PDB file of all heavy atoms in Angstrom:
ATOM      1  N   LEU A   1     -31.715 100.754 -29.548  1.00  0.00           N
ATOM      2  CA  LEU A   1     -31.070  99.735 -28.824  1.00  0.00           C
ATOM      3  C   LEU A   1     -30.623  98.514 -29.838  1.00  0.00           C
ATOM      4  O   LEU A   1     -29.583  98.081 -29.566  1.00  0.00           O
ATOM      5  CB  LEU A   1     -32.044  99.120 -27.776  1.00  0.00           C
ATOM      6  CG  LEU A   1     -32.382 100.010 -26.616  1.00  0.00           C
ATOM      7  CD1 LEU A   1     -33.628  99.554 -25.731  1.00  0.00           C
ATOM      8  CD2 LEU A   1     -31.107 100.013 -25.658  1.00  0.00           C
ATOM      9  N   LEU A   2     -31.372  98.308 -30.627  1.00  0.00           N
ATOM     10  CA  LEU A   2     -31.051  97.146 -31.668  1.00  0.00           C
ATOM     11  C   LEU A   2     -29.787  97.634 -32.549  1.00  0.00           C
ATOM     12  O   LEU A   2     -28.968  96.834 -32.851  1.00  0.00           O
ATOM     13  CB  LEU A   2     -32.246  96.689 -32.479  1.00  0.00           C
ATOM     14  CG  LEU A   2     -32.957  95.513 -31.968  1.00  0.00           C
ATOM     15  CD1 LEU A   2     -33.686  95.771 -30.606  1.00  0.00           C
ATOM     16  CD2 LEU A   2     -34.057  95.053 -32.972  1.00  0.00           C
ATOM     17  N   GLU A   3     -29.898  98.837 -32.913  1.00  0.00           N
ATOM     18  CA  GLU A   3     -28.670  99.400 -33.737  1.00  0.00           C
ATOM     19  C   GLU A   3     -27.391  99.194 -32.940  1.00  0.00           C
ATOM     20  O   GLU A   3     -26.288  98.997 -33.469  1.00  0.00           O
ATOM     21  CB  GLU A   3     -28.888 100.914 -33.988  1.00  0.00           C
ATOM     22  CG  GLU A   3     -29.952 101.176 -35.090  1.00  0.00           C
ATOM     23  CD  GLU A   3     -30.102 102.700 -35.233  1.00  0.00           C
ATOM     24  OE1 GLU A   3     -29.480 103.549 -34.541  1.00  0.00           O
ATOM     25  OE2 GLU A   3     -30.911 103.118 -36.258  1.00  0.00           O
ATOM     26  N   ALA A   4     -27.539  99.361 -31.604  1.00  0.00           N
ATOM     27  CA  ALA A   4     -26.345  99.290 -30.720  1.00  0.00           C
ATOM     28  C   ALA A   4     -25.994  97.822 -30.387  1.00  0.00           C
ATOM     29  O   ALA A   4     -24.943  97.570 -29.543  1.00  0.00           O
ATOM     30  CB  ALA A   4     -26.507 100.045 -29.414  1.00  0.00           C
ATOM     31  N   GLY A   5     -26.727  96.906 -30.941  1.00  0.00           N
ATOM     32  CA  GLY A   5     -26.555  95.391 -30.715  1.00  0.00           C
ATOM     33  C   GLY A   5     -27.074  94.861 -29.368  1.00  0.00           C
ATOM     34  O   GLY A   5     -26.665  93.808 -28.829  1.00  0.00           O
ATOM     35  N   VAL A   6     -28.044  95.769 -28.702  1.00  0.00           N
ATOM     36  CA  VAL A   6     -28.617  95.243 -27.462  1.00  0.00           C
ATOM     37  C   VAL A   6     -29.826  94.647 -27.722  1.00  0.00           C
ATOM     38  O   VAL A   6     -30.779  95.178 -28.341  1.00  0.00           O
ATOM     39  CB  VAL A   6     -28.863  96.470 -26.569  1.00  0.00           C
ATOM     40  CG1 VAL A   6     -29.459  96.194 -25.149  1.00  0.00           C
ATOM     41  CG2 VAL A   6     -27.552  97.438 -26.312  1.00  0.00           C
ATOM     42  N   THR A   7     -30.019  93.346 -27.296  1.00  0.00           N
ATOM     43  CA  THR A   7     -31.126  92.507 -27.509  1.00  0.00           C
ATOM     44  C   THR A   7     -31.576  91.724 -26.247  1.00  0.00           C
ATOM     45  O   THR A   7     -30.796  91.493 -25.366  1.00  0.00           O
ATOM     46  CB  THR A   7     -30.838  91.359 -28.630  1.00  0.00           C
ATOM     47  OG1 THR A   7     -29.804  90.554 -28.260  1.00  0.00           O
ATOM     48  CG2 THR A   7     -30.587  92.041 -29.934  1.00  0.00           C
ATOM     49  N   PRO A   8     -32.918  91.391 -26.147  1.00  0.00           N
ATOM     50  CA  PRO A   8     -33.236  90.816 -24.930  1.00  0.00           C
ATOM     51  C   PRO A   8     -33.389  89.313 -25.046  1.00  0.00           C
ATOM     52  O   PRO A   8     -33.544  88.801 -26.211  1.00  0.00           O
ATOM     53  CB  PRO A   8     -34.689  91.481 -24.646  1.00  0.00           C
ATOM     54  CG  PRO A   8     -35.255  91.481 -26.126  1.00  0.00           C
ATOM     55  CD  PRO A   8     -33.974  91.954 -26.948  1.00  0.00           C
ATOM     56  N   ASP A   9     -33.372  88.626 -23.791  1.00  0.00           N
ATOM     57  CA  ASP A   9     -33.670  87.181 -23.913  1.00  0.00           C
ATOM     58  C   ASP A   9     -35.176  86.927 -23.784  1.00  0.00           C
ATOM     59  O   ASP A   9     -35.850  86.009 -24.211  1.00  0.00           O
ATOM     60  CB  ASP A   9     -33.081  86.513 -22.717  1.00  0.00           C
ATOM     61  CG  ASP A   9     -31.498  86.547 -22.996  1.00  0.00           C
ATOM     62  OD1 ASP A   9     -31.024  85.941 -23.989  1.00  0.00           O
ATOM     63  OD2 ASP A   9     -30.708  87.242 -22.274  1.00  0.00           O
ATOM     64  N   PHE A  10     -35.819  87.990 -23.041  1.00  0.00           N
ATOM     65  CA  PHE A  10     -37.284  87.951 -23.009  1.00  0.00           C
ATOM     66  C   PHE A  10     -37.839  89.380 -22.722  1.00  0.00           C
ATOM     67  O   PHE A  10     -37.023  90.195 -22.452  1.00  0.00           O
ATOM     68  CB  PHE A  10     -37.824  86.892 -21.926  1.00  0.00           C
ATOM     69  CG  PHE A  10     -37.531  87.362 -20.528  1.00  0.00           C
ATOM     70  CD1 PHE A  10     -38.431  87.922 -19.617  1.00  0.00           C
ATOM     71  CD2 PHE A  10     -36.255  86.960 -20.022  1.00  0.00           C
ATOM     72  CE1 PHE A  10     -38.052  88.161 -18.380  1.00  0.00           C
ATOM     73  CE2 PHE A  10     -35.905  87.234 -18.600  1.00  0.00           C
ATOM     74  CZ  PHE A  10     -36.828  87.860 -17.797  1.00  0.00           C
ATOM     75  N   VAL A  11     -39.177  89.448 -22.901  1.00  0.00           N
ATOM     76  CA  VAL A  11     -39.769  91.000 -22.762  1.00  0.00           C
ATOM     77  C   VAL A  11     -40.933  90.809 -21.771  1.00  0.00           C
ATOM     78  O   VAL A  11     -41.505  89.677 -21.646  1.00  0.00           O
ATOM     79  CB  VAL A  11     -40.173  91.427 -24.103  1.00  0.00           C
ATOM     80  CG1 VAL A  11     -39.010  91.727 -24.863  1.00  0.00           C
ATOM     81  CG2 VAL A  11     -41.179  90.571 -24.687  1.00  0.00           C
ATOM     82  N   VAL A  12     -41.186  91.899 -21.017  1.00  0.00           N
ATOM     83  CA  VAL A  12     -42.274  91.924 -20.185  1.00  0.00           C
ATOM     84  C   VAL A  12     -43.030  93.195 -20.371  1.00  0.00           C
ATOM     85  O   VAL A  12     -42.317  94.284 -20.615  1.00  0.00           O
ATOM     86  CB  VAL A  12     -41.788  91.956 -18.658  1.00  0.00           C
ATOM     87  CG1 VAL A  12     -43.077  91.994 -17.793  1.00  0.00           C
ATOM     88  CG2 VAL A  12     -40.904  90.624 -18.402  1.00  0.00           C
ATOM     89  N   GLY A  13     -44.288  93.235 -20.531  1.00  0.00           N
ATOM     90  CA  GLY A  13     -44.972  94.606 -20.898  1.00  0.00           C
ATOM     91  C   GLY A  13     -46.314  94.744 -20.149  1.00  0.00           C
ATOM     92  O   GLY A  13     -46.926  93.740 -19.635  1.00  0.00           O
ATOM     93  N   SER A  14     -46.690  95.976 -19.980  1.00  0.00           N
ATOM     94  CA  SER A  14     -47.907  96.243 -19.166  1.00  0.00           C
ATOM     95  C   SER A  14     -48.741  97.327 -19.953  1.00  0.00           C
ATOM     96  O   SER A  14     -48.086  98.320 -20.569  1.00  0.00           O
ATOM     97  CB  SER A  14     -47.653  96.703 -17.765  1.00  0.00           C
ATOM     98  OG  SER A  14     -48.859  97.108 -17.023  1.00  0.00           O
ATOM     99  N   SER A  15     -50.017  97.253 -20.091  1.00  0.00           N
ATOM    100  CA  SER A  15     -50.842  98.317 -20.788  1.00  0.00           C
ATOM    101  C   SER A  15     -50.406  98.356 -22.170  1.00  0.00           C
ATOM    102  O   SER A  15     -50.204  97.466 -22.939  1.00  0.00           O
ATOM    103  CB  SER A  15     -50.816  99.471 -20.003  1.00  0.00           C
ATOM    104  OG  SER A  15     -51.926 100.298 -20.332  1.00  0.00           O
ATOM    105  N   VAL A  16     -50.235  99.630 -22.765  1.00  0.00           N
ATOM    106  CA  VAL A  16     -49.770  99.822 -24.054  1.00  0.00           C
ATOM    107  C   VAL A  16     -48.407  99.144 -24.236  1.00  0.00           C
ATOM    108  O   VAL A  16     -47.954  98.695 -25.362  1.00  0.00           O
ATOM    109  CB  VAL A  16     -49.703 101.320 -24.503  1.00  0.00           C
ATOM    110  CG1 VAL A  16     -48.570 101.952 -23.832  1.00  0.00           C
ATOM    111  CG2 VAL A  16     -49.592 101.348 -25.982  1.00  0.00           C
ATOM    112  N   GLY A  17     -47.527  98.990 -23.052  1.00  0.00           N
ATOM    113  CA  GLY A  17     -46.374  98.292 -23.190  1.00  0.00           C
ATOM    114  C   GLY A  17     -46.520  96.869 -23.468  1.00  0.00           C
ATOM    115  O   GLY A  17     -45.505  96.246 -24.090  1.00  0.00           O
ATOM    116  N   ALA A  18     -47.612  96.255 -23.091  1.00  0.00           N
ATOM    117  CA  ALA A  18     -47.864  94.929 -23.399  1.00  0.00           C
ATOM    118  C   ALA A  18     -48.088  94.812 -24.840  1.00  0.00           C
ATOM    119  O   ALA A  18     -47.582  93.660 -25.690  1.00  0.00           O
ATOM    120  CB  ALA A  18     -49.069  94.254 -22.682  1.00  0.00           C
ATOM    121  N   LEU A  19     -48.726  95.630 -25.508  1.00  0.00           N
ATOM    122  CA  LEU A  19     -49.007  95.679 -26.999  1.00  0.00           C
ATOM    123  C   LEU A  19     -47.567  95.755 -27.671  1.00  0.00           C
ATOM    124  O   LEU A  19     -47.321  94.964 -28.629  1.00  0.00           O
ATOM    125  CB  LEU A  19     -49.797  96.833 -27.379  1.00  0.00           C
ATOM    126  CG  LEU A  19     -50.235  96.917 -28.819  1.00  0.00           C
ATOM    127  CD1 LEU A  19     -51.607  97.430 -29.025  1.00  0.00           C
ATOM    128  CD2 LEU A  19     -49.405  97.733 -29.746  1.00  0.00           C
ATOM    129  N   ASN A  20     -46.711  96.675 -27.381  1.00  0.00           N
ATOM    130  CA  ASN A  20     -45.404  96.834 -27.947  1.00  0.00           C
ATOM    131  C   ASN A  20     -44.527  95.619 -27.751  1.00  0.00           C
ATOM    132  O   ASN A  20     -43.844  95.117 -28.541  1.00  0.00           O
ATOM    133  CB  ASN A  20     -44.728  97.977 -27.347  1.00  0.00           C
ATOM    134  CG  ASN A  20     -45.228  99.337 -28.061  1.00  0.00           C
ATOM    135  OD1 ASN A  20     -45.705  99.328 -29.173  1.00  0.00           O
ATOM    136  ND2 ASN A  20     -45.097 100.497 -27.357  1.00  0.00           N
ATOM    137  N   ALA A  21     -44.583  95.134 -26.438  1.00  0.00           N
ATOM    138  CA  ALA A  21     -43.830  93.839 -26.045  1.00  0.00           C
ATOM    139  C   ALA A  21     -44.236  92.557 -26.892  1.00  0.00           C
ATOM    140  O   ALA A  21     -43.521  91.849 -27.444  1.00  0.00           O
ATOM    141  CB  ALA A  21     -43.892  93.560 -24.669  1.00  0.00           C
ATOM    142  N   GLY A  22     -45.520  92.595 -27.046  1.00  0.00           N
ATOM    143  CA  GLY A  22     -46.200  91.472 -27.781  1.00  0.00           C
ATOM    144  C   GLY A  22     -45.712  91.421 -29.301  1.00  0.00           C
ATOM    145  O   GLY A  22     -45.411  90.500 -29.833  1.00  0.00           O
ATOM    146  N   PHE A  23     -45.888  92.640 -29.921  1.00  0.00           N
ATOM    147  CA  PHE A  23     -45.498  92.776 -31.262  1.00  0.00           C
ATOM    148  C   PHE A  23     -43.923  92.574 -31.520  1.00  0.00           C
ATOM    149  O   PHE A  23     -43.486  91.744 -32.363  1.00  0.00           O
ATOM    150  CB  PHE A  23     -45.822  94.120 -31.935  1.00  0.00           C
ATOM    151  CG  PHE A  23     -47.241  94.072 -32.191  1.00  0.00           C
ATOM    152  CD1 PHE A  23     -48.097  95.310 -31.724  1.00  0.00           C
ATOM    153  CD2 PHE A  23     -47.922  93.200 -32.962  1.00  0.00           C
ATOM    154  CE1 PHE A  23     -49.357  95.375 -32.016  1.00  0.00           C
ATOM    155  CE2 PHE A  23     -49.240  93.272 -33.200  1.00  0.00           C
ATOM    156  CZ  PHE A  23     -50.010  94.381 -32.773  1.00  0.00           C
ATOM    157  N   PHE A  24     -43.182  93.065 -30.604  1.00  0.00           N
ATOM    158  CA  PHE A  24     -41.664  92.947 -30.700  1.00  0.00           C
ATOM    159  C   PHE A  24     -41.393  91.498 -30.492  1.00  0.00           C
ATOM    160  O   PHE A  24     -40.354  91.000 -31.112  1.00  0.00           O
ATOM    161  CB  PHE A  24     -41.011  93.891 -29.704  1.00  0.00           C
ATOM    162  CG  PHE A  24     -39.585  93.851 -29.589  1.00  0.00           C
ATOM    163  CD1 PHE A  24     -38.712  94.120 -30.643  1.00  0.00           C
ATOM    164  CD2 PHE A  24     -38.863  93.233 -28.600  1.00  0.00           C
ATOM    165  CE1 PHE A  24     -37.254  94.054 -30.758  1.00  0.00           C
ATOM    166  CE2 PHE A  24     -37.446  93.116 -28.563  1.00  0.00           C
ATOM    167  CZ  PHE A  24     -36.700  93.556 -29.757  1.00  0.00           C
ATOM    168  N   ALA A  25     -41.861  90.764 -29.633  1.00  0.00           N
ATOM    169  CA  ALA A  25     -41.556  89.398 -29.271  1.00  0.00           C
ATOM    170  C   ALA A  25     -41.813  88.569 -30.503  1.00  0.00           C
ATOM    171  O   ALA A  25     -41.161  87.528 -30.809  1.00  0.00           O
ATOM    172  CB  ALA A  25     -42.375  88.903 -28.145  1.00  0.00           C
ATOM    173  N   GLY A  26     -42.784  88.947 -31.386  1.00  0.00           N
ATOM    174  CA  GLY A  26     -43.129  88.068 -32.592  1.00  0.00           C
ATOM    175  C   GLY A  26     -41.876  88.246 -33.727  1.00  0.00           C
ATOM    176  O   GLY A  26     -41.881  87.397 -34.432  1.00  0.00           O
ATOM    177  N   ASP A  27     -41.349  89.348 -33.614  1.00  0.00           N
ATOM    178  CA  ASP A  27     -40.162  89.658 -34.570  1.00  0.00           C
ATOM    179  C   ASP A  27     -39.203  90.562 -33.906  1.00  0.00           C
ATOM    180  O   ASP A  27     -39.133  91.697 -34.253  1.00  0.00           O
ATOM    181  CB  ASP A  27     -40.736  90.179 -35.927  1.00  0.00           C
ATOM    182  CG  ASP A  27     -39.636  90.295 -36.939  1.00  0.00           C
ATOM    183  OD1 ASP A  27     -38.496  89.774 -36.764  1.00  0.00           O
ATOM    184  OD2 ASP A  27     -39.783  90.802 -38.038  1.00  0.00           O
ATOM    185  N   PRO A  28     -38.255  90.034 -33.032  1.00  0.00           N
ATOM    186  CA  PRO A  28     -37.401  90.926 -32.374  1.00  0.00           C
ATOM    187  C   PRO A  28     -36.021  91.336 -33.095  1.00  0.00           C
ATOM    188  O   PRO A  28     -35.064  91.106 -32.739  1.00  0.00           O
ATOM    189  CB  PRO A  28     -37.010  89.959 -31.105  1.00  0.00           C
ATOM    190  CG  PRO A  28     -37.092  88.597 -31.676  1.00  0.00           C
ATOM    191  CD  PRO A  28     -38.203  88.612 -32.704  1.00  0.00           C
ATOM    192  N   THR A  29     -36.425  91.907 -34.311  1.00  0.00           N
ATOM    193  CA  THR A  29     -35.314  92.229 -35.190  1.00  0.00           C
ATOM    194  C   THR A  29     -35.691  93.763 -35.596  1.00  0.00           C
ATOM    195  O   THR A  29     -36.669  94.203 -35.305  1.00  0.00           O
ATOM    196  CB  THR A  29     -35.229  91.519 -36.420  1.00  0.00           C
ATOM    197  OG1 THR A  29     -36.496  91.672 -37.243  1.00  0.00           O
ATOM    198  CG2 THR A  29     -35.202  89.868 -36.110  1.00  0.00           C
ATOM    199  N   ALA A  30     -34.587  94.279 -36.275  1.00  0.00           N
ATOM    200  CA  ALA A  30     -34.705  95.736 -36.788  1.00  0.00           C
ATOM    201  C   ALA A  30     -36.001  95.642 -37.755  1.00  0.00           C
ATOM    202  O   ALA A  30     -36.720  96.679 -37.749  1.00  0.00           O
ATOM    203  CB  ALA A  30     -33.579  96.219 -37.590  1.00  0.00           C
ATOM    204  N   GLY A  31     -36.191  94.557 -38.487  1.00  0.00           N
ATOM    205  CA  GLY A  31     -37.298  94.558 -39.456  1.00  0.00           C
ATOM    206  C   GLY A  31     -38.678  94.576 -38.724  1.00  0.00           C
ATOM    207  O   GLY A  31     -39.680  95.225 -39.144  1.00  0.00           O
ATOM    208  N   GLY A  32     -38.588  93.835 -37.624  1.00  0.00           N
ATOM    209  CA  GLY A  32     -39.804  93.850 -36.725  1.00  0.00           C
ATOM    210  C   GLY A  32     -40.105  95.147 -36.143  1.00  0.00           C
ATOM    211  O   GLY A  32     -41.273  95.567 -36.115  1.00  0.00           O
ATOM    212  N   VAL A  33     -39.145  95.953 -35.803  1.00  0.00           N
ATOM    213  CA  VAL A  33     -39.323  97.280 -35.190  1.00  0.00           C
ATOM    214  C   VAL A  33     -39.734  98.203 -36.321  1.00  0.00           C
ATOM    215  O   VAL A  33     -40.693  99.046 -36.135  1.00  0.00           O
ATOM    216  CB  VAL A  33     -37.958  97.806 -34.640  1.00  0.00           C
ATOM    217  CG1 VAL A  33     -38.227  99.326 -34.186  1.00  0.00           C
ATOM    218  CG2 VAL A  33     -37.559  97.025 -33.454  1.00  0.00           C
ATOM    219  N   THR A  34     -39.353  98.040 -37.504  1.00  0.00           N
ATOM    220  CA  THR A  34     -39.952  98.818 -38.672  1.00  0.00           C
ATOM    221  C   THR A  34     -41.386  98.518 -38.911  1.00  0.00           C
ATOM    222  O   THR A  34     -42.176  99.424 -39.072  1.00  0.00           O
ATOM    223  CB  THR A  34     -39.048  98.498 -40.012  1.00  0.00           C
ATOM    224  OG1 THR A  34     -37.725  98.819 -39.744  1.00  0.00           O
ATOM    225  CG2 THR A  34     -39.547  99.216 -41.125  1.00  0.00           C
ATOM    226  N   ASN A  35     -41.785  97.291 -38.821  1.00  0.00           N
ATOM    227  CA  ASN A  35     -43.187  96.950 -38.872  1.00  0.00           C
ATOM    228  C   ASN A  35     -44.043  97.519 -37.703  1.00  0.00           C
ATOM    229  O   ASN A  35     -45.132  97.951 -37.930  1.00  0.00           O
ATOM    230  CB  ASN A  35     -43.465  95.364 -39.030  1.00  0.00           C
ATOM    231  CG  ASN A  35     -42.837  94.790 -40.226  1.00  0.00           C
ATOM    232  OD1 ASN A  35     -42.654  95.507 -41.186  1.00  0.00           O
ATOM    233  ND2 ASN A  35     -42.474  93.544 -40.167  1.00  0.00           N
ATOM    234  N   LEU A  36     -43.430  97.481 -36.595  1.00  0.00           N
ATOM    235  CA  LEU A  36     -44.168  98.040 -35.407  1.00  0.00           C
ATOM    236  C   LEU A  36     -44.295  99.510 -35.625  1.00  0.00           C
ATOM    237  O   LEU A  36     -45.463 100.146 -35.299  1.00  0.00           O
ATOM    238  CB  LEU A  36     -43.407  97.874 -34.124  1.00  0.00           C
ATOM    239  CG  LEU A  36     -43.925  98.373 -32.789  1.00  0.00           C
ATOM    240  CD1 LEU A  36     -45.390  97.779 -32.580  1.00  0.00           C
ATOM    241  CD2 LEU A  36     -43.098  97.877 -31.649  1.00  0.00           C
TER     242      LEU A  36
END
């Protein structure tokens, strides 16, 4: 999604999705996804 230039204004997550949303929200960049 980030490669395609698609980015969010905010994120919502539940269960393991909350973990992924939380980490991504801390660094919502390609570098942040690499760290995740």
Side-chain angles (χ1 to χ4, degrees):
L1 288 167
L2 265 62
E3 284 178 1
V6 183
T7 58
D9 296 293
F10 66 99
V11 296
V12 183
S14 175
S15 198
V16 73
L19 188 148
N20 282 335
F23 283 131
F24 178 68
D27 185 2
T29 67
V33 175
T34 297
N35 292 336
L36 179 57

